[in-house]
């Protein structure tokens, strides 16, 4: 059974198939053709954290595939009353795929280990394969083919998105330069780092100029974790860590000046939500080289490809 968790399990050919599927499904949608490849199938979407793009893209994607998506906010379920392993086994009896935005990647891995239905890690503390694959689709479109993408620069904090993007990019033969003063410690996966590092394509450097020079794409993500905030305010217990991160990461902001000085041809990316004035400046979001909103839209097309691929239907489409 297929699962999409860290992308460690996927081969280069799997990644290329997912890209081709997403491009094909997107093209057919743009031509006004139906893309209802998953009739009568149900996607269960379990969220232990908030979301805009992930919920929208999977739910709209499943509708366009002719199936149905059920949104489960963990706070309104019985998960807190019982053993996770019992509740998740029951949940997986109600659909054909589980998409799980979990506090802990270990719980996603536990769910997948039952091999009852394909499982997607929809942004745990360690991985975000749906984002990484969508970002590669956006890069492929902007460059005119994934083989034309030579170098990605990642600025700011190393985290769940950079982990999966770095690994997938390295598997595809793309150089990844990371200019990050530190990694989110909960995101670190030594095995993933070893697999990506073994390609010889990953370079970590504190030097912004070195990271950005010759980059085709410059990408960043929030320096803060979702759990630091409640109703848009920093929770008191995370205030000192929030302020420390502001000081440490400020020199690694993605802004127009840095891009124009060191990588004037690079496209600007952010997986959103953007914290304007922190990891990214307003002039970078609105820059002529920004492809941030194409990147957001491509979540829809890649999520459809992932759902089709997980149910092993790609041969009926390609
Ligand atoms: N990038 C991303 O996963 O967005 P959401 O948190 O809004 O789902």
């Amino acid at each position: 059974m297929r699962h999409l968790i860290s992308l460690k399990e996927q081969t280069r050919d799997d990644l290329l198939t997912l890209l081709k599927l997403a491009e094909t499904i997107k093209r057919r949608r743009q031509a006004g053709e139906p893309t209802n490849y998953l009739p009568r199938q149900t996607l269960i979407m379990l969220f232990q954290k908030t979301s805009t793009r992930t919920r929208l893209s999977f739910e709209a994607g499943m509708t366009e595939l002719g199936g149905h998506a059920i949104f489960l906010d963990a706070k309104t379920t019985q998960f807190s009353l019982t053993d996770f392993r019992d509740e998740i086994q029951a949940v997986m009896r109600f659909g054909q795929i589980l998409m799980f935005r979990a506090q802990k990647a270990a719980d996603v891995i536990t769910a997948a280990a039952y091999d009852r239905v394909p499982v997607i890690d929809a942004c745990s503390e360690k991985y975000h394969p749906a984002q990484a694959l969508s970002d590669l689709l956006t890069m492929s479109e902007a460059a005119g083919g994934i083989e034309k993408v030579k170098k990605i620069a990642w600025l700011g904090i190393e985290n769940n998105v950079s982990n999966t993007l770095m690994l997938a990019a390295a598997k595809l033969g793309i150089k990844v330069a990371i200019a990050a003063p530190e990694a989110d410690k909960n995101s670190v996966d030594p095995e993933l780092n070893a697999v990506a590092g073994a390609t010889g394509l990953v370079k970590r450097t504190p030097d912004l100029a070195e990271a950005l020079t010759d980059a085709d794409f410059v990408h960043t993500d929030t320096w803060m974790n979702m759990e630091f905030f409640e109703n848009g305010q920093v929770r008191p217990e995370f205030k000192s860590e929030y302020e420390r991160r502001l000081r440490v990461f400020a020199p690694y902001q993605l802004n127009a000046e840095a891009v124009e000085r060191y990588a004037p041809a690079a496209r600007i990316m952010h997986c959103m939500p953007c914290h304007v004035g922190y990891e990214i400046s307003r002039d970078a979001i609105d820059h002529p080289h920004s492809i941030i909103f194409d990147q957001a839209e491509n979540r829809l097309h890649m999520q459809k490809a992932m759902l089709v691929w997980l149910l092993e239907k790609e041969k009926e489409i390609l």
Side-chain angles (χ1 to χ4, degrees), residues 142-214:
I146 197 68
E147 69 287 351
K148 296 194 178 140
V149 181
K150 302 296 180 195
K151 180 178 173 183
I152 302 167
W154 179 273
L155 307 187
I157 195 166
E158 279 195 69
N159 66 4
N160 43 10
V161 176
S162 68
N163 283 347
T164 27
L165 180 61
M166 166 185 72
L167 179 63
K171 284 187 179 190
L172 291 168
I174 301 166
K175 285 190 210 162
V176 182
I178 300 175
E182 57 188 66
D184 175 13
K185 65 180 186 326
N186 294 322
S187 78
V188 176
D189 176 347
E191 187 189 12
L192 182 148
N193 280 332
V195 175
T199 64
L201 294 168
V202 177
K203 166 98 182 165
R204 290 182 172 81
T205 173
D207 183 349
L208 209 55
E210 185 185 13
L212 287 172
T213 300
D214 296 330

Side-chain angles (χ1 to χ4, degrees), residues 50-55 101 128 131 226 271-273 299:
T50 53
S51 167
T52 302
R53 280 142 291 273
T54 301
R55 178 179 177 186
R101 173 161 283 194
H128 199 352
Q131 185 69 53
M226 289 181 196
C271 49
M272 304 185 83
R299 294 292 304 274

Side-chain angles (χ1 to χ4, degrees), residues 70-114:
I70 298 175
F71 172 69
L72 273 182
D73 178 348
K75 288 198 289 294
T76 64
T77 66
Q78 311 291 25
F79 271 94
S80 64
L81 304 182
T82 185
D83 188 315
F84 171 79
R85 290 165 298 181
D86 296 335
E87 202 71 350
I88 200 71
Q89 286 191 80
V91 163
M92 291 191 288
R93 295 289 175 114
F94 293 91
Q96 284 69 46
I97 305 182
L98 171 66
M99 187 235 79
F100 186 9
R101 173 161 283 194
Q103 297 284 0
K104 292 182 286 179
D107 284 343
V108 183
I109 293 165
T110 297
Y114 290 110

